[in-house]
Amino acid sequence: MGVLGAVTYGLNPLFARPLAQMGMEVPSVLFYRYLVAAFILGALMLYKGHDFRLTWKELPVALVAGILFALSSLFLFESYNLMDVGIASTILFVYPVFVTIMMVVMFGERVSVVTVAAIALAIVGIVMLGHGEGDGGVNLWGVVVVLLSAISYAVYMVMVNKSCLRRLNTLKITFYSMVFGILVFVVQLDGLFSLQPVPTCTQAWVNVAGLAIFPTVVSLLTMTVAILDIGSIPTSILGALEPVTALAVGILAFGERLSPGAMLGVALVIVSVVLIILSAPLTRLLRQILITLRHPR
């Protein structure tokens, strides 16, 4: 689920860039993305017979979580206007570091040597991806905007794992993330008075639907399942596949080229993901080796 969530989230540029090329601005694109996603998730909840009620304790937490996720999307999409999408997606991957820091400092979660190694390898790989992607420069303000996106996303992941939202089913968490997230774009669009209409062509609506389904509904549902099942830190590290996917989109859909350095970066990211998947048995193996070294028979 974590791998699927990361890969589908990495498809953002595939649908967002064509809409930008059609003249649509970020707040309008994201408003339609969240609105369509909310309708899809609401329909799924009705089909499965889930109730829509939130307690007074859950309501403000869900509101904050939705706003955080919307801000993460907003900052990321704005960064696409400031630098290459591959570089922006690359820099976004610092969010596992923020997740790990919060989980350790605020909740005393222990981090294994394997997890630390996976983070280090993933970051090195992502940096190499960034240096090897495209010819665009790195805009300082763009870096700040992407970091704001990463922080917002990290706090969202921790809230889902450690707040009262953990008691809710995955569909309900994701639905209210979309519903409350829409409020951010309503404010940005002056109460929808500045909302741009979707261009009257099939390609535009296909991109809006794709943006709502894959990097939103599918990604959020699978990511939430992963967070609740294996925790925030491993799920966030599996997010290393997001920039790899964005890079593949750049190559296959937009004709970008992959340098040897970027290829090595992809390999390091894949190794980091494998380390996370095998972290439990590897950690047990390391402990057994240490015990054997200390107390040889």
Side-chain angles (χ1 to χ4, degrees), residues 211-248:
L211 198 57
I213 294 170
F214 296 105
T216 311
V217 172
V218 175
S219 179
L220 260 180
L221 286 175
T222 52
M223 197 70 74
T224 303
V225 170
I227 292 170
L228 298 177
D229 192 35
I230 62 174
S232 298
I233 293 176
T235 303
S236 68
I237 298 170
L238 289 173
L241 291 174
E242 292 168 19
V244 174
T245 304
L247 193 69

Short mmCIF file of all heavy atoms in Angstrom, two decimals, residues 211-248:
data_model
loop_
_atom_site.label_atom_id
_atom_site.label_comp_id
_atom_site.label_asym_id
_atom_site.label_seq_id
_atom_site.Cartn_x
_atom_site.Cartn_y
_atom_site.Cartn_z
N LEU A 211 -6.07 13.55 -12.15
CA LEU A 211 -5.48 14.21 -10.98
C LEU A 211 -6.27 13.88 -9.72
O LEU A 211 -5.70 13.69 -8.63
CB LEU A 211 -5.46 15.72 -11.20
CG LEU A 211 -4.53 16.57 -10.35
CD1 LEU A 211 -3.08 16.13 -10.47
CD2 LEU A 211 -4.66 18.04 -10.75
N ALA A 212 -7.60 13.79 -9.85
CA ALA A 212 -8.44 13.50 -8.69
C ALA A 212 -8.36 12.03 -8.29
O ALA A 212 -8.42 11.71 -7.09
CB ALA A 212 -9.90 13.88 -9.00
N ILE A 213 -8.21 11.14 -9.28
CA ILE A 213 -8.26 9.71 -8.98
C ILE A 213 -6.92 9.16 -8.51
O ILE A 213 -6.82 8.57 -7.42
CB ILE A 213 -8.74 8.93 -10.23
CG1 ILE A 213 -10.20 9.29 -10.54
CG2 ILE A 213 -8.62 7.42 -9.99
CD1 ILE A 213 -10.69 8.76 -11.86
N PHE A 214 -5.86 9.34 -9.32
CA PHE A 214 -4.61 8.63 -9.02
C PHE A 214 -3.76 9.27 -7.92
O PHE A 214 -3.53 8.63 -6.89
CB PHE A 214 -3.82 8.44 -10.32
CG PHE A 214 -4.52 7.57 -11.31
CD1 PHE A 214 -5.14 8.11 -12.43
CD2 PHE A 214 -4.60 6.20 -11.12
CE1 PHE A 214 -5.82 7.31 -13.33
CE2 PHE A 214 -5.28 5.38 -12.01
CZ PHE A 214 -5.90 5.94 -13.13
N PRO A 215 -3.25 10.51 -8.08
CA PRO A 215 -2.43 11.06 -7.01
C PRO A 215 -3.24 11.60 -5.82
O PRO A 215 -2.67 12.13 -4.88
CB PRO A 215 -1.67 12.21 -7.71
CG PRO A 215 -2.54 12.61 -8.82
CD PRO A 215 -3.31 11.40 -9.24
N THR A 216 -4.57 11.45 -5.88
CA THR A 216 -5.39 11.94 -4.78
C THR A 216 -6.13 10.80 -4.10
O THR A 216 -5.75 10.37 -3.01
CB THR A 216 -6.40 13.01 -5.29
OG1 THR A 216 -5.71 13.98 -6.07
CG2 THR A 216 -7.06 13.72 -4.11
N VAL A 217 -7.19 10.27 -4.73
CA VAL A 217 -7.99 9.23 -4.09
C VAL A 217 -7.17 7.96 -3.84
O VAL A 217 -7.06 7.49 -2.70
CB VAL A 217 -9.23 8.90 -4.95
CG1 VAL A 217 -9.97 7.68 -4.38
CG2 VAL A 217 -10.18 10.10 -5.00
N VAL A 218 -6.56 7.43 -4.90
CA VAL A 218 -5.81 6.18 -4.75
C VAL A 218 -4.62 6.38 -3.82
O VAL A 218 -4.38 5.57 -2.91
CB VAL A 218 -5.32 5.66 -6.13
CG1 VAL A 218 -4.42 4.44 -5.96
CG2 VAL A 218 -6.51 5.32 -7.01
N SER A 219 -3.87 7.47 -4.02
CA SER A 219 -2.68 7.70 -3.21
C SER A 219 -3.02 7.90 -1.74
O SER A 219 -2.41 7.31 -0.85
CB SER A 219 -1.92 8.92 -3.74
OG SER A 219 -0.77 9.17 -2.94
N LEU A 220 -4.03 8.73 -1.46
CA LEU A 220 -4.38 9.01 -0.07
C LEU A 220 -4.93 7.78 0.64
O LEU A 220 -4.59 7.52 1.79
CB LEU A 220 -5.40 10.14 -0.01
CG LEU A 220 -4.87 11.53 0.32
CD1 LEU A 220 -6.01 12.54 0.35
CD2 LEU A 220 -4.15 11.54 1.66
N LEU A 221 -5.78 7.01 -0.05
CA LEU A 221 -6.34 5.81 0.58
C LEU A 221 -5.24 4.80 0.90
O LEU A 221 -5.18 4.28 2.03
CB LEU A 221 -7.38 5.17 -0.34
CG LEU A 221 -8.73 5.88 -0.46
CD1 LEU A 221 -9.61 5.19 -1.50
CD2 LEU A 221 -9.45 5.91 0.88
N THR A 222 -4.38 4.52 -0.06
CA THR A 222 -3.34 3.52 0.17
C THR A 222 -2.30 4.01 1.17
O THR A 222 -1.81 3.24 1.99
CB THR A 222 -2.65 3.14 -1.16
OG1 THR A 222 -2.21 4.34 -1.82
CG2 THR A 222 -3.60 2.41 -2.07
N MET A 223 -1.98 5.32 1.12
CA MET A 223 -1.02 5.87 2.07
C MET A 223 -1.56 5.81 3.49
O MET A 223 -0.83 5.50 4.44
CB MET A 223 -0.68 7.31 1.68
CG MET A 223 0.58 7.85 2.32
SD MET A 223 2.09 7.08 1.68
CE MET A 223 2.21 7.85 0.07
N THR A 224 -2.86 6.10 3.65
CA THR A 224 -3.46 6.06 4.98
C THR A 224 -3.46 4.64 5.53
O THR A 224 -3.17 4.41 6.71
CB THR A 224 -4.91 6.60 4.94
OG1 THR A 224 -4.89 7.94 4.41
CG2 THR A 224 -5.51 6.63 6.34
N VAL A 225 -3.77 3.66 4.67
CA VAL A 225 -3.70 2.25 5.08
C VAL A 225 -2.30 1.91 5.55
O VAL A 225 -2.10 1.28 6.60
CB VAL A 225 -4.12 1.32 3.93
CG1 VAL A 225 -3.82 -0.13 4.29
CG2 VAL A 225 -5.59 1.47 3.62
N ALA A 226 -1.29 2.36 4.79
CA ALA A 226 0.10 2.06 5.14
C ALA A 226 0.49 2.71 6.47
O ALA A 226 1.14 2.09 7.31
CB ALA A 226 1.03 2.54 4.03
N ILE A 227 0.09 3.98 6.66
CA ILE A 227 0.42 4.69 7.90
C ILE A 227 -0.16 3.95 9.10
O ILE A 227 0.52 3.75 10.12
CB ILE A 227 -0.11 6.13 7.87
CG1 ILE A 227 0.66 6.97 6.83
CG2 ILE A 227 0.02 6.80 9.24
CD1 ILE A 227 0.04 8.32 6.57
N LEU A 228 -1.43 3.53 9.00
CA LEU A 228 -2.09 2.85 10.11
C LEU A 228 -1.54 1.45 10.34
O LEU A 228 -1.60 0.93 11.45
CB LEU A 228 -3.60 2.79 9.86
CG LEU A 228 -4.32 4.14 9.75
CD1 LEU A 228 -5.80 3.93 9.44
CD2 LEU A 228 -4.17 4.95 11.04
N ASP A 229 -0.97 0.85 9.29
CA ASP A 229 -0.50 -0.53 9.38
C ASP A 229 0.97 -0.65 9.79
O ASP A 229 1.32 -1.46 10.64
CB ASP A 229 -0.74 -1.23 8.04
CG ASP A 229 -0.54 -2.74 8.15
OD1 ASP A 229 -0.87 -3.30 9.21
OD2 ASP A 229 -0.05 -3.35 7.19
N ILE A 230 1.83 0.16 9.16
CA ILE A 230 3.27 0.02 9.44
C ILE A 230 3.88 1.26 10.10
O ILE A 230 5.04 1.25 10.47
CB ILE A 230 4.07 -0.30 8.15
CG1 ILE A 230 3.95 0.83 7.13
CG2 ILE A 230 3.62 -1.62 7.56
CD1 ILE A 230 4.81 0.64 5.89
N GLY A 231 3.09 2.35 10.22
CA GLY A 231 3.60 3.55 10.89
C GLY A 231 4.00 4.66 9.94
O GLY A 231 4.15 4.46 8.73
N SER A 232 4.20 5.85 10.50
CA SER A 232 4.50 7.04 9.70
C SER A 232 5.89 7.01 9.08
O SER A 232 6.09 7.41 7.93
CB SER A 232 4.37 8.29 10.57
OG SER A 232 3.06 8.44 11.06
N ILE A 233 6.89 6.56 9.86
CA ILE A 233 8.28 6.61 9.37
C ILE A 233 8.51 5.68 8.18
O ILE A 233 8.99 6.13 7.14
CB ILE A 233 9.27 6.32 10.52
CG1 ILE A 233 9.22 7.44 11.56
CG2 ILE A 233 10.70 6.20 9.96
CD1 ILE A 233 10.10 7.21 12.77
N PRO A 234 8.17 4.38 8.27
CA PRO A 234 8.39 3.51 7.10
C PRO A 234 7.59 3.97 5.88
O PRO A 234 8.09 3.94 4.76
CB PRO A 234 7.90 2.14 7.59
CG PRO A 234 8.00 2.19 9.07
CD PRO A 234 7.69 3.60 9.44
N THR A 235 6.35 4.43 6.09
CA THR A 235 5.52 4.89 4.97
C THR A 235 6.15 6.10 4.30
O THR A 235 6.19 6.21 3.08
CB THR A 235 4.10 5.23 5.46
OG1 THR A 235 3.52 4.10 6.09
CG2 THR A 235 3.22 5.65 4.28
N SER A 236 6.67 7.02 5.13
CA SER A 236 7.27 8.23 4.56
C SER A 236 8.53 7.90 3.78
O SER A 236 8.82 8.52 2.75
CB SER A 236 7.59 9.25 5.67
OG SER A 236 8.62 8.78 6.52
N ILE A 237 9.30 6.91 4.22
CA ILE A 237 10.53 6.55 3.52
C ILE A 237 10.19 5.85 2.19
O ILE A 237 10.87 6.05 1.18
CB ILE A 237 11.42 5.65 4.40
CG1 ILE A 237 11.84 6.42 5.65
CG2 ILE A 237 12.67 5.22 3.63
CD1 ILE A 237 12.52 5.58 6.69
N LEU A 238 9.10 5.06 2.18
CA LEU A 238 8.64 4.47 0.93
C LEU A 238 8.26 5.55 -0.08
O LEU A 238 8.24 5.30 -1.29
CB LEU A 238 7.46 3.54 1.18
CG LEU A 238 7.77 2.23 1.91
CD1 LEU A 238 6.48 1.49 2.26
CD2 LEU A 238 8.68 1.34 1.07
N GLY A 239 8.00 6.75 0.42
CA GLY A 239 7.71 7.88 -0.46
C GLY A 239 8.88 8.25 -1.35
O GLY A 239 8.74 9.09 -2.25
N ALA A 240 10.03 7.61 -1.17
CA ALA A 240 11.17 7.83 -2.08
C ALA A 240 10.80 7.48 -3.51
O ALA A 240 11.43 7.97 -4.46
CB ALA A 240 12.36 6.97 -1.62
N LEU A 241 9.78 6.65 -3.67
CA LEU A 241 9.36 6.27 -5.02
C LEU A 241 8.59 7.40 -5.72
O LEU A 241 8.37 7.34 -6.93
CB LEU A 241 8.49 5.01 -4.97
CG LEU A 241 9.24 3.73 -4.57
CD1 LEU A 241 8.27 2.57 -4.40
CD2 LEU A 241 10.29 3.39 -5.62
N GLU A 242 8.17 8.43 -4.97
CA GLU A 242 7.44 9.55 -5.58
C GLU A 242 8.31 10.29 -6.61
O GLU A 242 7.90 10.43 -7.77
CB GLU A 242 6.94 10.50 -4.50
CG GLU A 242 5.85 9.91 -3.62
CD GLU A 242 5.58 10.75 -2.39
OE1 GLU A 242 5.97 11.94 -2.38
OE2 GLU A 242 4.98 10.22 -1.43
N PRO A 243 9.51 10.80 -6.21
CA PRO A 243 10.31 11.50 -7.21
C PRO A 243 10.83 10.60 -8.32
O PRO A 243 11.05 11.05 -9.43
CB PRO A 243 11.47 12.09 -6.39
CG PRO A 243 11.52 11.29 -5.14
CD PRO A 243 10.11 10.89 -4.87
N VAL A 244 11.03 9.30 -8.01
CA VAL A 244 11.43 8.36 -9.06
C VAL A 244 10.33 8.28 -10.11
O VAL A 244 10.58 8.29 -11.32
CB VAL A 244 11.73 6.97 -8.46
CG1 VAL A 244 12.00 5.96 -9.57
CG2 VAL A 244 12.93 7.04 -7.52
N THR A 245 9.09 8.20 -9.64
CA THR A 245 7.94 8.18 -10.56
C THR A 245 7.85 9.47 -11.35
O THR A 245 7.62 9.46 -12.57
CB THR A 245 6.63 7.95 -9.78
OG1 THR A 245 6.74 6.76 -9.00
CG2 THR A 245 5.46 7.81 -10.74
N ALA A 246 8.03 10.61 -10.65
CA ALA A 246 7.97 11.91 -11.34
C ALA A 246 9.05 12.00 -12.41
O ALA A 246 8.83 12.56 -13.49
CB ALA A 246 8.13 13.04 -10.32
N LEU A 247 10.22 11.44 -12.10
CA LEU A 247 11.31 11.44 -13.07
C LEU A 247 10.94 10.58 -14.29
O LEU A 247 11.19 10.97 -15.43
CB LEU A 247 12.58 10.89 -12.42
CG LEU A 247 13.89 11.10 -13.18
CD1 LEU A 247 14.26 12.57 -13.18
CD2 LEU A 247 15.00 10.28 -12.54
N ALA A 248 10.33 9.42 -14.03
CA ALA A 248 9.90 8.55 -15.13
C ALA A 248 8.85 9.25 -15.98
O ALA A 248 8.85 9.13 -17.22
CB ALA A 248 9.34 7.24 -14.56
#
